[in-house]
Amino acid sequence: MNSAATSKDEILAKSRELVRQSGWSAVSIRSVAAACGVSVGCIYNYVDSKADLVGATVESVWREIFHRQDEPAAFRSTEACVTWMYERLAYGHERYPGFFTLHSLGFMGEEKEGGRRRMDGAWRHILAMLRAVLERDARVRPGAFTEAFTAERFADALFSLMLAAMLRGDFDPAAALEIVRRTLY
């Protein structure tokens, strides 16, 4: 028998496991309660609705993929960061098949806005991380950034490349790395 979940983090871990095993359609208040070994009412102590549960699960998947404070080498240079980001995308694609497709928000029903808001938050975190790496990368040549071509704009461009790669299921960072080398170094 499953041990009872006692925190929102444990509930989200069980939700992620349901997604891994059976896809997004498996995530419901009842299925998560059963996986956690608790009552449906217990789950409602942590989430307001199925949409809230799914949105929180989406956010927790993004966090699992990209909130990695234990890998400081990935943040020492833009090249290392871009390589790491593509590796994390490959990990997410393998661990959560279908998560990166455009359909990942389709299961949110009438409350898509909450899921989009959570996904936007995850994306803002990734952009902020990338921008910070760009700004402290000692290899960036003087004058690479200008008033019109800022680290923020370049981070946006790199992020757009990453999103396109994510949707294609192409996790080879070679082209993005070449753009970094030719543009910044």
Side-chain angles (χ1 to χ4, degrees), residues 76-80 136-142 181 184-185:
R76 290 201 176 116
S77 76
T78 305
E79 284 180 301
R136 70 174 177 258
D137 186 342
R139 291 183 54 208
V140 173
R141 66 179 163 70
R181 289 181 197 113
L184 300 182
Y185 303 147

Side-chain angles (χ1 to χ4, degrees), residues 157-178:
L158 289 174
F159 186 69
S160 293
L161 288 173
M162 184 188 82
L163 290 178
M166 177 181 75
L167 293 175
R168 287 191 322 268
D170 175 10
F171 307 112
D172 179 2
L177 290 172
E178 190 61 26

